[in-house]
Amino acid sequence: MIFDWAFALEIVPRLARALVVTVQATLGGMLIALTLGLLLAIARRARLPVVRLPVVGFVEFVRSTPLLVQIYFLFYVLPGFGVQLSAFATGVLALGLHYGAYCSEVYRAGLDGVPRGQWEAAAALNMSRMQTYIRVVIPQAIPPVVPALGNYLIAMFKDTPLLSAITVLELLQTAKVIGAETFRYTEPLTLVGVLFLAVSLVAAAGVRALERQLAAALGRTG
């Protein structure tokens, strides 16, 4: 089928609106994932097994099951427990929980990379465990893991088409709807590919810029 530029320009506004939904889902999911991942990583280092073991179980369960299954599970099971969320909110929550488990492993690697002497120095200064995390450990642990976290941000963006399974009209689903309405799939799917590529490249450049800024702030060369 020949690419029709006029038709492509005609559908750009619809795809642009769907791109906004896709980006909003990604940013919302990443906010949850970054916060949850850090909390899980810290909880996994807890001395009490009653705190540590459930976290280990949650992380392993989430990492061992498909994201699509988790999306379906949250969408159809949560209402049975009286939790009513929109399809979009459910999708954002599913993305956040799924990638939160992966981000926790990244954070854990960063926390493990902080020299033991830093913990001992904080203890010598009579800092509490919470103070040690906030003022000593986390500032040193996060900068090295920013590239890995950025990769998960891009991966999450590319996983947003899975939200169409619970009726979220994101970018790819919108392209399918346009194709079903017009019997032309070449233009919408091509534009979707271009938009995903463009946003991913911009996000990757942003992550690299952030990485350089963090390196400069720590007095290291990039």
Side-chain angles (χ1 to χ4, degrees), residues 17-164:
R17 289 193 292 273
L19 177 62
V20 172
V21 175
T22 301
V23 171
Q24 288 175 335
T26 304
L27 295 179
M30 200 62 197
L31 180 61
I32 295 174
L34 291 176
T35 305
L36 177 65
L38 181 58
L39 295 176
L40 291 174
I42 293 174
R44 192 163 182 171
R45 297 169 60 88
R47 298 187 180 96
L48 296 175
V50 70
V51 176
R52 186 176 65 252
L53 293 181
V55 172
V56 173
F58 172 79
V59 171
E60 294 305 319
F61 173 79
V62 171
R63 295 177 64 203
S64 303
T65 53
L67 174 57
L68 183 58
V69 173
Q70 295 162 16
I71 292 172
Y72 273 125
F73 183 84
L74 291 176
F75 188 67
Y76 290 108
V77 173
L78 283 182
F81 291 91
V83 180
Q84 298 287 344
L85 297 175
S86 67
F88 178 81
T90 304
V92 170
L93 178 61
L95 289 172
L97 292 176
H98 184 81
Y99 279 95
Y102 283 94
C103 288
S104 72
E105 293 297 285
V106 175
Y107 281 125
R108 189 160 68 96
L111 294 174
D112 289 345
V114 176
R116 185 65 192 171
Q118 298 292 313
W119 291 88
E120 295 171 351
L125 293 173
N126 201 30
M127 288 186 179
S128 67
R129 192 167 178 84
M130 182 64 71
Q131 288 175 321
T132 302
Y133 268 117
I134 295 175
R135 299 176 62 180
V136 179
V137 176
I138 291 177
Q140 297 182 68
I142 289 183
V145 302
V146 165
L149 295 177
N151 288 336
Y152 281 130
L153 171 65
I154 297 171
M156 181 186 293
F157 175 65
K158 292 188 291 186
D159 274 346
T160 52
L162 293 176
L163 303 189
S164 65

